[in-house]
Amino acid sequence: MNKKAEAFKAYVDEKHPHAFELEEIPDDAYETVAFRSFAEVRGSRLPVVVILDTSIYALIRILVVPHAVHEGKREELLERLNAYNKKYKTCKYYLDDEGDIVLDTCILCGEDTVDGDLVYTMFNVLLRELEEDYPELMKLVWA
């Protein structure tokens, strides 16, 4: 396990035990470790992952809406996500290759350390922004 992941695991074990399931990615050149959990947003449980590797970055990723692209809605959905991306400095929405809406934020950190309090602060910022956007996104996806 890389040193950032070890530091974050120690933080989580102390402050938020049982909040994450840990997954070490086998045979990965960056020694990537994924901390998986769920976030409650407007009554929905959304998958969350904190990704820590040997780079200078930490990534928080939330799967907002799986399989969000429906017939004739792609352009409208992309326009909405682009509007959010212009609005927020802290995070970026995008459609992945499977048509899922994903929300990411990247945190700079040292090669060997990660600030657990900062990760949780950014996670809470993402959830506040998502609470605001989620109803509009769902309406657009299912309209």
Side-chain angles (χ1 to χ4, degrees):
M1 183 181 313
N2 71 66
K3 292 181 190 254
K4 279 193 298 199
E6 288 174 0
F8 189 64
K9 182 181 181 319
Y11 173 87
V12 168
D13 287 347
E14 179 184 333
K15 302 274 186 170
H16 309 279
H18 313 295
F20 291 95
E21 288 184 25
L22 188 141
E23 176 189 357
E24 294 185 67
I25 308 303
D27 303 319
D28 180 66
Y30 291 99
E31 300 175 36
T32 303
V33 178
F35 291 80
R36 298 185 185 282
S37 190
F38 291 90
E40 179 96 14
V41 176
R42 305 268 179 156
S44 295
R45 283 176 39 101
L46 307 180
V48 174
V49 64
V50 176
I51 301 170
L52 300 171
D53 59 23
T54 56
S55 73
I56 60 168
Y57 304 103
L59 180 73
I60 302 171
R61 176 167 290 159
I62 301 174
L63 176 59
V64 180
V65 183
H67 311 293
V69 179
H70 297 287
E71 197 72 29
K73 291 288 184 181
R74 184 178 185 82
E75 281 304 312
E76 190 176 0
L77 192 54
L78 287 171
E79 286 178 23
R80 173 57 41 210
L81 297 180
N82 196 43
Y84 292 150
N85 290 340
K86 290 177 187 176
K87 178 180 175 183
Y88 298 126
K89 292 180 185 181
T90 57
C91 61
K92 296 301 171 208
Y93 284 94
Y94 63 94
L95 290 177
D96 68 10
D97 293 340
E98 288 77 41
D100 304 332
I101 298 174
V102 179
L103 178 60
D104 277 359
T105 194
C106 194
I107 302 168
L108 284 173
C109 46
E111 289 183 36
D112 295 337
T113 64
V114 62
D115 182 342
D117 287 332
L118 178 59
V119 171
Y120 265 84
T121 297
M122 289 306 299
F123 179 66
N124 287 324
V125 167
L126 290 178
L127 289 180
R128 280 195 309 271
E129 292 171 356
L130 191 51
E131 280 284 334
E132 182 179 321
D133 301 335
Y134 194 72
E136 185 177 71
L137 278 173
M138 293 309 295
K139 184 186 285 185
L140 183 58
V141 166
W142 296 113

